[in-house]
Amino acid sequence: MQLGAFSVSLAVKDLEKSKEFYETLGFSVFGGEMSQNYLIMKNGEHVIGLFHGMFEKNILTFNPGWDQDCNTLSSFTDVRDLQKKLKEQGVKFDIEADESTTGPVSFVISDPDRNPILFHQHV
């Protein structure tokens, strides 16, 4: 299974303080907007998203169709195909993607400890 780019999406209480903290670790803003309550930060190949007021828990995020620089891949496993494979393996879904669509779509599963895992395809 090709899962695409990986990042950790962090639910933060203070976006500015979190930004400053991760800058001390060598991260720099790669995307997002303070005015929209989120920033995407990068240090080499490592990507984190800082999200204020958007969700309750930290989330592991995979982006099928993207590389670590958010470039569209010429070949990738569509998120709907990933969902079908996981369903066949008995994985339970918190949120399912509409398999009758094309283009951008998401689904969410949780690991055994209830950590959410988002599969979000932008293309």
mmCIF file with all atom_site columns, all heavy atoms in Angstrom, residues 86-110:
data_model
loop_
_atom_site.group_PDB
_atom_site.id
_atom_site.type_symbol
_atom_site.label_atom_id
_atom_site.label_alt_id
_atom_site.label_comp_id
_atom_site.label_asym_id
_atom_site.label_entity_id
_atom_site.label_seq_id
_atom_site.pdbx_PDB_ins_code
_atom_site.Cartn_x
_atom_site.Cartn_y
_atom_site.Cartn_z
_atom_site.occupancy
_atom_site.B_iso_or_equiv
_atom_site.pdbx_formal_charge
_atom_site.auth_seq_id
_atom_site.auth_comp_id
_atom_site.auth_asym_id
_atom_site.auth_atom_id
_atom_site.pdbx_PDB_model_num
ATOM 1   N N   . LEU A 1 86  ? -8.519  -1.957 3.247  1.00 0.00 ? 86  LEU A N   1
ATOM 2   C CA  . LEU A 1 86  ? -8.622  -2.002 4.707  1.00 0.00 ? 86  LEU A CA  1
ATOM 3   C C   . LEU A 1 86  ? -9.940  -2.622 5.147  1.00 0.00 ? 86  LEU A C   1
ATOM 4   O O   . LEU A 1 86  ? -9.975  -3.379 6.123  1.00 0.00 ? 86  LEU A O   1
ATOM 5   C CB  . LEU A 1 86  ? -8.446  -0.602 5.292  1.00 0.00 ? 86  LEU A CB  1
ATOM 6   C CG  . LEU A 1 86  ? -7.044  -0.003 5.115  1.00 0.00 ? 86  LEU A CG  1
ATOM 7   C CD1 . LEU A 1 86  ? -7.030  1.453  5.553  1.00 0.00 ? 86  LEU A CD1 1
ATOM 8   C CD2 . LEU A 1 86  ? -6.005  -0.821 5.864  1.00 0.00 ? 86  LEU A CD2 1
ATOM 9   N N   . LYS A 1 87  ? -11.023 -2.346 4.424  1.00 0.00 ? 87  LYS A N   1
ATOM 10  C CA  . LYS A 1 87  ? -12.315 -2.972 4.734  1.00 0.00 ? 87  LYS A CA  1
ATOM 11  C C   . LYS A 1 87  ? -12.219 -4.485 4.586  1.00 0.00 ? 87  LYS A C   1
ATOM 12  O O   . LYS A 1 87  ? -12.736 -5.226 5.420  1.00 0.00 ? 87  LYS A O   1
ATOM 13  C CB  . LYS A 1 87  ? -13.410 -2.440 3.802  1.00 0.00 ? 87  LYS A CB  1
ATOM 14  C CG  . LYS A 1 87  ? -13.975 -1.110 4.198  1.00 0.00 ? 87  LYS A CG  1
ATOM 15  C CD  . LYS A 1 87  ? -15.111 -0.744 3.242  1.00 0.00 ? 87  LYS A CD  1
ATOM 16  C CE  . LYS A 1 87  ? -15.744 0.560  3.602  1.00 0.00 ? 87  LYS A CE  1
ATOM 17  N NZ  . LYS A 1 87  ? -16.837 0.909  2.666  1.00 0.00 ? 87  LYS A NZ  1
ATOM 18  N N   . GLU A 1 88  ? -11.556 -4.931 3.524  1.00 0.00 ? 88  GLU A N   1
ATOM 19  C CA  . GLU A 1 88  ? -11.380 -6.368 3.295  1.00 0.00 ? 88  GLU A CA  1
ATOM 20  C C   . GLU A 1 88  ? -10.612 -7.027 4.441  1.00 0.00 ? 88  GLU A C   1
ATOM 21  O O   . GLU A 1 88  ? -10.795 -8.208 4.719  1.00 0.00 ? 88  GLU A O   1
ATOM 22  C CB  . GLU A 1 88  ? -10.635 -6.611 1.971  1.00 0.00 ? 88  GLU A CB  1
ATOM 23  C CG  . GLU A 1 88  ? -11.457 -6.286 0.745  1.00 0.00 ? 88  GLU A CG  1
ATOM 24  C CD  . GLU A 1 88  ? -10.637 -6.297 -0.545 1.00 0.00 ? 88  GLU A CD  1
ATOM 25  O OE1 . GLU A 1 88  ? -9.415  -6.599 -0.500 1.00 0.00 ? 88  GLU A OE1 1
ATOM 26  O OE2 . GLU A 1 88  ? -11.214 -5.968 -1.603 1.00 0.00 ? 88  GLU A OE2 1
ATOM 27  N N   . GLN A 1 89  ? -9.756  -6.262 5.096  1.00 0.00 ? 89  GLN A N   1
ATOM 28  C CA  . GLN A 1 89  ? -8.964  -6.777 6.213  1.00 0.00 ? 89  GLN A CA  1
ATOM 29  C C   . GLN A 1 89  ? -9.681  -6.603 7.549  1.00 0.00 ? 89  GLN A C   1
ATOM 30  O O   . GLN A 1 89  ? -9.125  -6.906 8.599  1.00 0.00 ? 89  GLN A O   1
ATOM 31  C CB  . GLN A 1 89  ? -7.607  -6.078 6.244  1.00 0.00 ? 89  GLN A CB  1
ATOM 32  C CG  . GLN A 1 89  ? -6.757  -6.396 5.031  1.00 0.00 ? 89  GLN A CG  1
ATOM 33  C CD  . GLN A 1 89  ? -5.463  -5.601 5.008  1.00 0.00 ? 89  GLN A CD  1
ATOM 34  O OE1 . GLN A 1 89  ? -5.035  -5.038 6.012  1.00 0.00 ? 89  GLN A OE1 1
ATOM 35  N NE2 . GLN A 1 89  ? -4.829  -5.551 3.847  1.00 0.00 ? 89  GLN A NE2 1
ATOM 36  N N   . GLY A 1 90  ? -10.913 -6.124 7.516  1.00 0.00 ? 90  GLY A N   1
ATOM 37  C CA  . GLY A 1 90  ? -11.714 -6.018 8.728  1.00 0.00 ? 90  GLY A CA  1
ATOM 38  C C   . GLY A 1 90  ? -11.508 -4.761 9.553  1.00 0.00 ? 90  GLY A C   1
ATOM 39  O O   . GLY A 1 90  ? -11.977 -4.684 10.691 1.00 0.00 ? 90  GLY A O   1
ATOM 40  N N   . VAL A 1 91  ? -10.830 -3.763 8.988  1.00 0.00 ? 91  VAL A N   1
ATOM 41  C CA  . VAL A 1 91  ? -10.613 -2.513 9.716  1.00 0.00 ? 91  VAL A CA  1
ATOM 42  C C   . VAL A 1 91  ? -11.937 -1.773 9.835  1.00 0.00 ? 91  VAL A C   1
ATOM 43  O O   . VAL A 1 91  ? -12.710 -1.684 8.886  1.00 0.00 ? 91  VAL A O   1
ATOM 44  C CB  . VAL A 1 91  ? -9.556  -1.634 9.000  1.00 0.00 ? 91  VAL A CB  1
ATOM 45  C CG1 . VAL A 1 91  ? -9.445  -0.264 9.652  1.00 0.00 ? 91  VAL A CG1 1
ATOM 46  C CG2 . VAL A 1 91  ? -8.203  -2.343 8.987  1.00 0.00 ? 91  VAL A CG2 1
ATOM 47  N N   . LYS A 1 92  ? -12.207 -1.229 11.013 1.00 0.00 ? 92  LYS A N   1
ATOM 48  C CA  . LYS A 1 92  ? -13.412 -0.440 11.254 1.00 0.00 ? 92  LYS A CA  1
ATOM 49  C C   . LYS A 1 92  ? -13.089 1.033  11.005 1.00 0.00 ? 92  LYS A C   1
ATOM 50  O O   . LYS A 1 92  ? -12.002 1.507  11.320 1.00 0.00 ? 92  LYS A O   1
ATOM 51  C CB  . LYS A 1 92  ? -13.899 -0.635 12.683 1.00 0.00 ? 92  LYS A CB  1
ATOM 52  C CG  . LYS A 1 92  ? -14.272 -2.076 12.980 1.00 0.00 ? 92  LYS A CG  1
ATOM 53  C CD  . LYS A 1 92  ? -15.229 -2.196 14.115 1.00 0.00 ? 92  LYS A CD  1
ATOM 54  C CE  . LYS A 1 92  ? -15.578 -3.607 14.476 1.00 0.00 ? 92  LYS A CE  1
ATOM 55  N NZ  . LYS A 1 92  ? -15.775 -4.552 13.482 1.00 0.00 ? 92  LYS A NZ  1
ATOM 56  N N   . PHE A 1 93  ? -14.062 1.758  10.460 1.00 0.00 ? 93  PHE A N   1
ATOM 57  C CA  . PHE A 1 93  ? -13.869 3.150  10.075 1.00 0.00 ? 93  PHE A CA  1
ATOM 58  C C   . PHE A 1 93  ? -14.637 4.093  10.991 1.00 0.00 ? 93  PHE A C   1
ATOM 59  O O   . PHE A 1 93  ? -15.784 3.835  11.338 1.00 0.00 ? 93  PHE A O   1
ATOM 60  C CB  . PHE A 1 93  ? -14.320 3.360  8.620  1.00 0.00 ? 93  PHE A CB  1
ATOM 61  C CG  . PHE A 1 93  ? -13.380 2.738  7.629  1.00 0.00 ? 93  PHE A CG  1
ATOM 62  C CD1 . PHE A 1 93  ? -13.346 1.372  7.444  1.00 0.00 ? 93  PHE A CD1 1
ATOM 63  C CD2 . PHE A 1 93  ? -12.496 3.519  6.916  1.00 0.00 ? 93  PHE A CD2 1
ATOM 64  C CE1 . PHE A 1 93  ? -12.466 0.781  6.556  1.00 0.00 ? 93  PHE A CE1 1
ATOM 65  C CE2 . PHE A 1 93  ? -11.599 2.953  6.027  1.00 0.00 ? 93  PHE A CE2 1
ATOM 66  C CZ  . PHE A 1 93  ? -11.587 1.587  5.849  1.00 0.00 ? 93  PHE A CZ  1
ATOM 67  N N   . ASP A 1 94  ? -13.986 5.207  11.338 1.00 0.00 ? 94  ASP A N   1
ATOM 68  C CA  . ASP A 1 94  ? -14.649 6.273  12.080 1.00 0.00 ? 94  ASP A CA  1
ATOM 69  C C   . ASP A 1 94  ? -15.412 7.168  11.106 1.00 0.00 ? 94  ASP A C   1
ATOM 70  O O   . ASP A 1 94  ? -16.516 7.609  11.388 1.00 0.00 ? 94  ASP A O   1
ATOM 71  C CB  . ASP A 1 94  ? -13.635 7.104  12.867 1.00 0.00 ? 94  ASP A CB  1
ATOM 72  C CG  . ASP A 1 94  ? -12.860 6.266  13.870 1.00 0.00 ? 94  ASP A CG  1
ATOM 73  O OD1 . ASP A 1 94  ? -13.417 5.279  14.387 1.00 0.00 ? 94  ASP A OD1 1
ATOM 74  O OD2 . ASP A 1 94  ? -11.694 6.591  14.135 1.00 0.00 ? 94  ASP A OD2 1
ATOM 75  N N   . ILE A 1 95  ? -14.780 7.445  9.969  1.00 0.00 ? 95  ILE A N   1
ATOM 76  C CA  . ILE A 1 95  ? -15.393 8.220  8.883  1.00 0.00 ? 95  ILE A CA  1
ATOM 77  C C   . ILE A 1 95  ? -14.986 7.543  7.586  1.00 0.00 ? 95  ILE A C   1
ATOM 78  O O   . ILE A 1 95  ? -13.801 7.270  7.363  1.00 0.00 ? 95  ILE A O   1
ATOM 79  C CB  . ILE A 1 95  ? -14.904 9.681  8.882  1.00 0.00 ? 95  ILE A CB  1
ATOM 80  C CG1 . ILE A 1 95  ? -15.262 10.377 10.187 1.00 0.00 ? 95  ILE A CG1 1
ATOM 81  C CG2 . ILE A 1 95  ? -15.477 10.436 7.681  1.00 0.00 ? 95  ILE A CG2 1
ATOM 82  C CD1 . ILE A 1 95  ? -14.643 11.751 10.349 1.00 0.00 ? 95  ILE A CD1 1
ATOM 83  N N   . GLU A 1 96  ? -15.960 7.274  6.713  1.00 0.00 ? 96  GLU A N   1
ATOM 84  C CA  . GLU A 1 96  ? -15.663 6.623  5.436  1.00 0.00 ? 96  GLU A CA  1
ATOM 85  C C   . GLU A 1 96  ? -15.672 7.625  4.290  1.00 0.00 ? 96  GLU A C   1
ATOM 86  O O   . GLU A 1 96  ? -16.421 8.595  4.314  1.00 0.00 ? 96  GLU A O   1
ATOM 87  C CB  . GLU A 1 96  ? -16.693 5.531  5.142  1.00 0.00 ? 96  GLU A CB  1
ATOM 88  C CG  . GLU A 1 96  ? -16.561 4.327  6.038  1.00 0.00 ? 96  GLU A CG  1
ATOM 89  C CD  . GLU A 1 96  ? -17.411 3.157  5.587  1.00 0.00 ? 96  GLU A CD  1
ATOM 90  O OE1 . GLU A 1 96  ? -17.570 2.968  4.351  1.00 0.00 ? 96  GLU A OE1 1
ATOM 91  O OE2 . GLU A 1 96  ? -17.896 2.433  6.457  1.00 0.00 ? 96  GLU A OE2 1
ATOM 92  N N   . ALA A 1 97  ? -14.851 7.339  3.293  1.00 0.00 ? 97  ALA A N   1
ATOM 93  C CA  . ALA A 1 97  ? -14.854 8.105  2.046  1.00 0.00 ? 97  ALA A CA  1
ATOM 94  C C   . ALA A 1 97  ? -15.976 7.577  1.159  1.00 0.00 ? 97  ALA A C   1
ATOM 95  O O   . ALA A 1 97  ? -16.282 6.378  1.182  1.00 0.00 ? 97  ALA A O   1
ATOM 96  C CB  . ALA A 1 97  ? -13.517 7.954  1.329  1.00 0.00 ? 97  ALA A CB  1
ATOM 97  N N   . ASP A 1 98  ? -16.579 8.450  0.385  1.00 0.00 ? 98  ASP A N   1
ATOM 98  C CA  . ASP A 1 98  ? -17.589 8.051  -0.586 1.00 0.00 ? 98  ASP A CA  1
ATOM 99  C C   . ASP A 1 98  ? -16.865 7.421  -1.770 1.00 0.00 ? 98  ASP A C   1
ATOM 100 O O   . ASP A 1 98  ? -16.177 8.101  -2.538 1.00 0.00 ? 98  ASP A O   1
ATOM 101 C CB  . ASP A 1 98  ? -18.402 9.266  -1.023 1.00 0.00 ? 98  ASP A CB  1
ATOM 102 C CG  . ASP A 1 98  ? -19.511 8.924  -2.014 1.00 0.00 ? 98  ASP A CG  1
ATOM 103 O OD1 . ASP A 1 98  ? -19.539 7.790  -2.561 1.00 0.00 ? 98  ASP A OD1 1
ATOM 104 O OD2 . ASP A 1 98  ? -20.359 9.804  -2.247 1.00 0.00 ? 98  ASP A OD2 1
ATOM 105 N N   . GLU A 1 99  ? -17.000 6.114  -1.921 1.00 0.00 ? 99  GLU A N   1
ATOM 106 C CA  . GLU A 1 99  ? -16.267 5.383  -2.953 1.00 0.00 ? 99  GLU A CA  1
ATOM 107 C C   . GLU A 1 99  ? -16.811 5.605  -4.360 1.00 0.00 ? 99  GLU A C   1
ATOM 108 O O   . GLU A 1 99  ? -16.196 5.189  -5.330 1.00 0.00 ? 99  GLU A O   1
ATOM 109 C CB  . GLU A 1 99  ? -16.240 3.891  -2.613 1.00 0.00 ? 99  GLU A CB  1
ATOM 110 C CG  . GLU A 1 99  ? -15.433 3.598  -1.360 1.00 0.00 ? 99  GLU A CG  1
ATOM 111 C CD  . GLU A 1 99  ? -15.392 2.129  -0.986 1.00 0.00 ? 99  GLU A CD  1
ATOM 112 O OE1 . GLU A 1 99  ? -15.894 1.280  -1.745 1.00 0.00 ? 99  GLU A OE1 1
ATOM 113 O OE2 . GLU A 1 99  ? -14.853 1.823  0.102  1.00 0.00 ? 99  GLU A OE2 1
ATOM 114 N N   . SER A 1 100 ? -17.941 6.287  -4.491 1.00 0.00 ? 100 SER A N   1
ATOM 115 C CA  . SER A 1 100 ? -18.501 6.555  -5.814 1.00 0.00 ? 100 SER A CA  1
ATOM 116 C C   . SER A 1 100 ? -17.969 7.855  -6.416 1.00 0.00 ? 100 SER A C   1
ATOM 117 O O   . SER A 1 100 ? -18.304 8.199  -7.537 1.00 0.00 ? 100 SER A O   1
ATOM 118 C CB  . SER A 1 100 ? -20.029 6.616  -5.736 1.00 0.00 ? 100 SER A CB  1
ATOM 119 O OG  . SER A 1 100 ? -20.439 7.771  -5.012 1.00 0.00 ? 100 SER A OG  1
ATOM 120 N N   . THR A 1 101 ? -17.103 8.564  -5.679 1.00 0.00 ? 101 THR A N   1
ATOM 121 C CA  . THR A 1 101 ? -16.584 9.841  -6.139 1.00 0.00 ? 101 THR A CA  1
ATOM 122 C C   . THR A 1 101 ? -15.190 9.693  -6.725 1.00 0.00 ? 101 THR A C   1
ATOM 123 O O   . THR A 1 101 ? -14.577 8.624  -6.653 1.00 0.00 ? 101 THR A O   1
ATOM 124 C CB  . THR A 1 101 ? -16.518 10.854 -4.973 1.00 0.00 ? 101 THR A CB  1
ATOM 125 O OG1 . THR A 1 101 ? -15.589 10.369 -3.992 1.00 0.00 ? 101 THR A OG1 1
ATOM 126 C CG2 . THR A 1 101 ? -17.882 11.050 -4.324 1.00 0.00 ? 101 THR A CG2 1
ATOM 127 N N   . THR A 1 102 ? -14.688 10.784 -7.279 1.00 0.00 ? 102 THR A N   1
ATOM 128 C CA  . THR A 1 102 ? -13.294 10.880 -7.714 1.00 0.00 ? 102 THR A CA  1
ATOM 129 C C   . THR A 1 102 ? -12.719 12.158 -7.122 1.00 0.00 ? 102 THR A C   1
ATOM 130 O O   . THR A 1 102 ? -13.459 13.015 -6.653 1.00 0.00 ? 102 THR A O   1
ATOM 131 C CB  . THR A 1 102 ? -13.170 10.928 -9.252 1.00 0.00 ? 102 THR A CB  1
ATOM 132 O OG1 . THR A 1 102 ? -13.886 12.066 -9.734 1.00 0.00 ? 102 THR A OG1 1
ATOM 133 C CG2 . THR A 1 102 ? -13.716 9.660  -9.899 1.00 0.00 ? 102 THR A CG2 1
ATOM 134 N N   . GLY A 1 103 ? -11.395 12.279 -7.133 1.00 0.00 ? 103 GLY A N   1
ATOM 135 C CA  . GLY A 1 103 ? -10.764 13.493 -6.638 1.00 0.00 ? 103 GLY A CA  1
ATOM 136 C C   . GLY A 1 103 ? -10.584 13.500 -5.135 1.00 0.00 ? 103 GLY A C   1
ATOM 137 O O   . GLY A 1 103 ? -10.543 12.452 -4.498 1.00 0.00 ? 103 GLY A O   1
ATOM 138 N N   . PRO A 1 104 ? -10.474 14.702 -4.556 1.00 0.00 ? 104 PRO A N   1
ATOM 139 C CA  . PRO A 1 104 ? -10.193 14.833 -3.130 1.00 0.00 ? 104 PRO A CA  1
ATOM 140 C C   . PRO A 1 104 ? -11.253 14.166 -2.242 1.00 0.00 ? 104 PRO A C   1
ATOM 141 O O   . PRO A 1 104 ? -12.457 14.317 -2.492 1.00 0.00 ? 104 PRO A O   1
ATOM 142 C CB  . PRO A 1 104 ? -10.186 16.346 -2.900 1.00 0.00 ? 104 PRO A CB  1
ATOM 143 C CG  . PRO A 1 104 ? -9.861  16.917 -4.234 1.00 0.00 ? 104 PRO A CG  1
ATOM 144 C CD  . PRO A 1 104 ? -10.518 16.005 -5.220 1.00 0.00 ? 104 PRO A CD  1
ATOM 145 N N   . VAL A 1 105 ? -10.771 13.445 -1.231 1.00 0.00 ? 105 VAL A N   1
ATOM 146 C CA  . VAL A 1 105 ? -11.669 12.780 -0.280 1.00 0.00 ? 105 VAL A CA  1
ATOM 147 C C   . VAL A 1 105 ? -10.829 12.258 0.887  1.00 0.00 ? 105 VAL A C   1
ATOM 148 O O   . VAL A 1 105 ? -9.611  12.145 0.771  1.00 0.00 ? 105 VAL A O   1
ATOM 149 C CB  . VAL A 1 105 ? -12.461 11.631 -0.962 1.00 0.00 ? 105 VAL A CB  1
ATOM 150 C CG1 . VAL A 1 105 ? -11.569 10.452 -1.288 1.00 0.00 ? 105 VAL A CG1 1
ATOM 151 C CG2 . VAL A 1 105 ? -13.658 11.223 -0.151 1.00 0.00 ? 105 VAL A CG2 1
ATOM 152 N N   . SER A 1 106 ? -11.492 11.957 1.997  1.00 0.00 ? 106 SER A N   1
ATOM 153 C CA  . SER A 1 106 ? -10.785 11.503 3.198  1.00 0.00 ? 106 SER A CA  1
ATOM 154 C C   . SER A 1 106 ? -11.529 10.361 3.873  1.00 0.00 ? 106 SER A C   1
ATOM 155 O O   . SER A 1 106 ? -12.736 10.210 3.692  1.00 0.00 ? 106 SER A O   1
ATOM 156 C CB  . SER A 1 106 ? -10.688 12.641 4.224  1.00 0.00 ? 106 SER A CB  1
ATOM 157 O OG  . SER A 1 106 ? -10.052 13.746 3.693  1.00 0.00 ? 106 SER A OG  1
ATOM 158 N N   . PHE A 1 107 ? -10.778 9.601  4.689  1.00 0.00 ? 107 PHE A N   1
ATOM 159 C CA  . PHE A 1 107 ? -11.388 8.689  5.642  1.00 0.00 ? 107 PHE A CA  1
ATOM 160 C C   . PHE A 1 107 ? -10.543 8.679  6.904  1.00 0.00 ? 107 PHE A C   1
ATOM 161 O O   . PHE A 1 107 ? -9.378  9.093  6.891  1.00 0.00 ? 107 PHE A O   1
ATOM 162 C CB  . PHE A 1 107 ? -11.607 7.276  5.077  1.00 0.00 ? 107 PHE A CB  1
ATOM 163 C CG  . PHE A 1 107 ? -10.380 6.451  4.823  1.00 0.00 ? 107 PHE A CG  1
ATOM 164 C CD1 . PHE A 1 107 ? -9.721  5.796  5.853  1.00 0.00 ? 107 PHE A CD1 1
ATOM 165 C CD2 . PHE A 1 107 ? -9.894  6.278  3.532  1.00 0.00 ? 107 PHE A CD2 1
ATOM 166 C CE1 . PHE A 1 107 ? -8.600  5.014  5.612  1.00 0.00 ? 107 PHE A CE1 1
ATOM 167 C CE2 . PHE A 1 107 ? -8.775  5.500  3.283  1.00 0.00 ? 107 PHE A CE2 1
ATOM 168 C CZ  . PHE A 1 107 ? -8.129  4.863  4.327  1.00 0.00 ? 107 PHE A CZ  1
ATOM 169 N N   . VAL A 1 108 ? -11.158 8.235  7.999  1.00 0.00 ? 108 VAL A N   1
ATOM 170 C CA  . VAL A 1 108 ? -10.474 8.199  9.287  1.00 0.00 ? 108 VAL A CA  1
ATOM 171 C C   . VAL A 1 108 ? -10.686 6.835  9.923  1.00 0.00 ? 108 VAL A C   1
ATOM 172 O O   . VAL A 1 108 ? -11.806 6.316  9.948  1.00 0.00 ? 108 VAL A O   1
ATOM 173 C CB  . VAL A 1 108 ? -11.006 9.299  10.245 1.00 0.00 ? 108 VAL A CB  1
ATOM 174 C CG1 . VAL A 1 108 ? -10.316 9.203  11.611 1.00 0.00 ? 108 VAL A CG1 1
ATOM 175 C CG2 . VAL A 1 108 ? -10.816 10.683 9.646  1.00 0.00 ? 108 VAL A CG2 1
ATOM 176 N N   . ILE A 1 109 ? -9.587  6.268  10.423 1.00 0.00 ? 109 ILE A N   1
ATOM 177 C CA  . ILE A 1 109 ? -9.641  5.053  11.224 1.00 0.00 ? 109 ILE A CA  1
ATOM 178 C C   . ILE A 1 109 ? -8.938  5.364  12.550 1.00 0.00 ? 109 ILE A C   1
ATOM 179 O O   . ILE A 1 109 ? -8.327  6.437  12.689 1.00 0.00 ? 109 ILE A O   1
ATOM 180 C CB  . ILE A 1 109 ? -8.961  3.852  10.519 1.00 0.00 ? 109 ILE A CB  1
ATOM 181 C CG1 . ILE A 1 109 ? -7.482  4.142  10.223 1.00 0.00 ? 109 ILE A CG1 1
ATOM 182 C CG2 . ILE A 1 109 ? -9.707  3.501  9.236  1.00 0.00 ? 109 ILE A CG2 1
ATOM 183 C CD1 . ILE A 1 109 ? -6.708  2.969  9.627  1.00 0.00 ? 109 ILE A CD1 1
ATOM 184 N N   . SER A 1 110 ? -9.014  4.465  13.498 1.00 0.00 ? 110 SER A N   1
ATOM 185 C CA  . SER A 1 110 ? -8.296  4.630  14.760 1.00 0.00 ? 110 SER A CA  1
ATOM 186 C C   . SER A 1 110 ? -7.507  3.369  15.046 1.00 0.00 ? 110 SER A C   1
ATOM 187 O O   . SER A 1 110 ? -7.959  2.258  14.744 1.00 0.00 ? 110 SER A O   1
ATOM 188 C CB  . SER A 1 110 ? -9.273  4.883  15.918 1.00 0.00 ? 110 SER A CB  1
ATOM 189 O OG  . SER A 1 110 ? -9.899  6.137  15.765 1.00 0.00 ? 110 SER A OG  1
#
